[in-house]
Amino acid sequence: MRIGELAGKAKTRASTLRYYEERGLLQPPERTPAGYRNYGDEAVQRLEFIDRARAAGLTLAQTAEILEVRDAGGSPCGHVRDLLDRRLVEIDEQLEHLRLLRTSVAELRANAAQTSPEACTPESICRYL
Amino acid sequence: MRIGELAGKAKTRASTLRYYEERGLLQPPERTPAGYRNYGDEAVQRLEFIDRARAAGLTLAQTAEILEVRDAGGSPCGHVRDLLDRRLVEIDEQLEHLRLLRTSVAELRANAAQTSPEACTPESICRYL
DNA sequence: CTTGACCTTCAAGCATACTTTAAGGTCCAT
DNA sequence: ATGGACCTTAAAGTATGCTTGAAGGTCAAG
């Protein structure tokens, strides 16, 4: 399978696949005599895995780590559990931060609805913020 | 007031202030005969405003827009209201996205707790994801 | 008069995940 | 044999918000 076909199956682009190879997420495939990358069917699964990892918010570097462990014949399960745990903590922190932000922006907006435009004095710049 | 002093009052750095000037958030101040930037006290308020805008999640470009309207003598209130409204929509979208992500990562993690490491077969790479 | 703190500009670097561009080779159909 | 689709590499561009580096000028204290 050439790179364009694989990209089509994975709903991404050839340039992305070359980038993944550079980042260590895809192993360098065989080449045809002309130098074209020639992928086997298993590359599709690998890309699906990468996509699931991305959907879980793992970085490419983290995903590459997992795949390296696998490629070395190891079992990355414990590592993956750790990454998922850390992701959960991060997500909870982001949620908390966003909730607080939502509250304060909503307050700002509520003020803006009440305040007359004249409140924008030169020294306060804008009372809304 | 020289740039370092202003930076100290605004709890930021001289390099940041120069950057803000370049981005149009700070107006170019007077210079001393030696070429040093010389700020007046009102610059402190302006930086506080910029900080509040940043805390509300507005981009530097949006904040610069607001300040440009003010500097031109206009009242940016309507514009600020619009920006706050859009921010609220964005924040709600981000919250929803994060909640869904949290659910799916938590499911993944729950699976990982139950599954034995042997489930990491070569073709599936890792059952946890 | 020298040392050190502080200032100047312009350019480049950082982090992430790609995309785009340039210049060129390959392959299949007509 | 020629056109077009597809492939190759290396390098640079994108977005955001700064920081860092290089090379040099200013100023007050000792």
Side-chain angles (χ1 to χ4, degrees), chain A residues 13 15-16 19-20 23 34 36 54 59-60:
Chain A
R13 295 171 176 205
S15 64
T16 305
Y19 177 64
Y20 282 177
R23 290 291 306 268
Y36 288 10
R54 206 184 43 116
T59 64
L60 292 187

Side-chain angles (χ1 to χ4, degrees), chain B residues 29-95:
Chain B
E30 283 177 20
R31 299 290 182 126
T32 68
Y36 289 9
R37 286 175 180 80
N38 195 10
Y39 295 95
D41 287 342
E42 71 287 355
V44 178
Q45 266 96 297
R46 199 175 172 105
L47 284 170
E48 284 167 358
F49 174 80
I50 293 170
D51 200 50
R52 288 195 299 277
R54 207 185 40 116
L58 300 187
T59 64
L60 293 187
Q62 290 173 326
T63 309
E65 259 182 57
I66 296 170
L67 289 165
E68 272 162 33
V69 174
R70 271 268 7 127
D71 291 342
S75 164
C77 300
H79 192 48
V80 172
R81 262 199 299 265
D82 287 351
L83 287 174
L84 291 178
D85 281 342
R86 276 189 262 151
R87 262 315 273 157
L88 273 181
V89 171
E90 281 172 18
I91 290 170
D92 285 341
E93 287 167 357
Q94 288 173 22
L95 275 171

Side-chain angles (χ1 to χ4, degrees), chain A residues 72-99:
Chain A
S75 164
C77 300
H79 191 48
V80 172
R81 262 199 299 265
D82 287 352
L83 287 173
L84 291 178
D85 281 341
R86 277 190 262 150
R87 261 315 272 159
L88 274 180
V89 171
E90 281 172 17
I91 290 169
D92 285 341
E93 286 167 356
Q94 288 173 23
L95 274 170
E96 187 54 19
H97 177 236
L98 264 186
R99 283 191 203 106

Side-chain angles (χ1 to χ4, degrees), chain A residues 1-7 14 16-44 46-47 71:
Chain A
M1 198 183 347
R2 283 177 311 172
I3 197 169
E5 193 181 343
L6 178 58
T16 305
L17 302 190
R18 289 192 202 98
Y19 177 64
Y20 282 177
E21 183 178 324
E22 194 183 307
R23 290 291 306 268
L25 290 129
L26 289 182
Q27 292 176 304
E30 284 177 20
R31 299 289 183 127
T32 67
Y36 288 10
R37 286 174 181 79
N38 194 10
Y39 295 95
D41 287 341
E42 71 286 356
V44 178
R46 198 173 173 106
L47 284 170
D71 290 342

